[in-house]
Amino acid sequence: MGIHDGHRDRMKAEFLQGGLTSFSDPRALELLLFYTRMQGDVNPTAHTLLDTFGSLSGVMDADVSDLMAVPGVGQNTAILLKLIPAMASRYLSSRTREDVIVRSSADLRDLFFPCFFGARNEMTYLACFDAKLKLLGVRKLREGGPNSTEIDPRQIAAAALSYNASAVVLAHNHTSGVCTPSSADISSTRTLLQSLRGIDIYLYDHIIMTDDDMVSMRDSGYLEAAY
């Protein structure tokens, strides 16, 4: 038995009893690293990762090549670190998309939050609904750089028609942390509304999200002004 085996067992038991509530970020990361380094002390590696990237989210958001530049971090560790937020997003999505019926913008926030969880690039998603606003499906339309998304009415129309949708909701994120619609957001949304109207598809809303905030263009009156 290795010198650190008892320590590992105690940390695992602590997690099973109370989750991560009592864990500091270095200890939580250390627990995760147990599963890529089966023996030895991984606490120094956890601290080095946090010192290098500034925070737990910084570690998870780092590029694989940058992670592997940290001493003690191999490909398996780097992949596991990237897998955690990706699996969290998939988990949240699987919990929120069953039998979704939109009744308010809060429902839309719950629907789209997993799509943008941990995102560092701007992305655009389209949710398609039947006439009763029951969810038919969600499709990722585009991913750009930190400040680059475009609305393509033809791509959106094709996606909506593929679901035989009666209504759609567009969503994109602002990586700046400010979710106020830009003039380009407003103009392109109104153009899209008119384009979809021509094929009898209702643009119910356009949601703009950041990590901790959301703006509904419907609630804010931007879509109403286009009718």
Side-chain angles (χ1 to χ4, degrees):
M1 177 177 290
I3 190 172
H4 297 289
D5 288 350
H7 170 66
R8 290 183 176 220
D9 289 342
R10 286 191 297 272
M11 284 187 66
K12 291 174 185 178
E14 184 180 348
F15 170 72
L16 289 175
Q17 183 175 9
L20 290 176
T21 304
S22 65
F23 282 68
S24 64
D25 284 354
R27 292 185 72 232
L29 189 54
E30 179 186 3
L31 178 61
L32 182 64
L33 294 177
F34 288 167
Y35 296 94
T36 61
R37 295 258 301 277
M38 303 311 293
Q39 293 182 341
D41 185 5
V42 295
N43 182 271
T45 304
H47 279 279
T48 301
L49 282 165
L50 289 167
D51 290 343
T52 301
F53 299 107
S55 65
L56 195 58
S57 62
V59 173
M60 301 295 182
D61 291 338
D63 291 335
V64 168
S65 58
D66 293 332
L67 289 169
M68 291 178 64
V70 174
V73 177
Q75 186 182 59
N76 285 345
T77 298
I79 290 174
L80 179 64
L81 291 170
K82 300 300 292 182
L83 183 62
I84 296 301
M87 285 297 293
S89 177
R90 184 70 64 89
Y91 165 75
L92 290 170
S93 178
S94 71
R95 291 190 66 183
T96 57
R97 289 189 185 177
E98 295 180 3
D99 298 324
V100 172
I101 298 177
V102 172
R103 297 179 179 88
S104 69
S105 57
D107 295 328
L108 293 175
R109 184 194 182 282
D110 292 343
L111 173 64
F112 284 113
F113 176 77
C115 298
F116 299 106
F117 180 83
R120 290 297 172 263
N121 290 330
E122 288 204 354
M123 301 186 293
T124 304
Y125 282 84
L126 186 74
C128 298
F129 301 87
D130 66 14
K132 296 182 179 180
L133 292 181
K134 182 175 181 180
L135 182 67
L136 300 172
V138 178
R139 180 171 296 182
K140 183 178 180 180
L141 298 177
R142 182 180 176 88
E143 179 172 356
N147 297 289
S148 60
T149 55
E150 297 177 1
I151 293 177
D152 183 346
R154 291 173 298 181
Q155 183 188 21
I156 292 170
L161 291 170
S162 73
Y163 284 103
N164 196 27
S166 297
V168 297
V169 175
L170 191 68
H172 79 277
N173 61 325
H174 283 179
T175 55
S176 64
V178 178
C179 58
T180 303
S182 66
S183 57
D185 290 333
I186 296 168
S187 175
S188 59
T189 299
R190 291 175 175 172
T191 298
L192 176 62
L193 186 150
Q194 298 296 337
S195 176
L196 292 176
R197 180 182 292 171
I199 55 173
D200 200 28
I201 294 175
Y202 177 39
L203 179 61
Y204 179 82
D205 206 345
H206 183 176
I207 299 296
I208 300 173
M209 300 193 69
T210 61
D211 286 343
D212 57 2
D213 201 3
M214 181 194 83
V215 165
S216 158
M217 294 184 71
R218 176 187 177 88
D219 289 353
S220 302
Y222 294 111
L223 283 176
E224 181 182 342
Y227 282 96

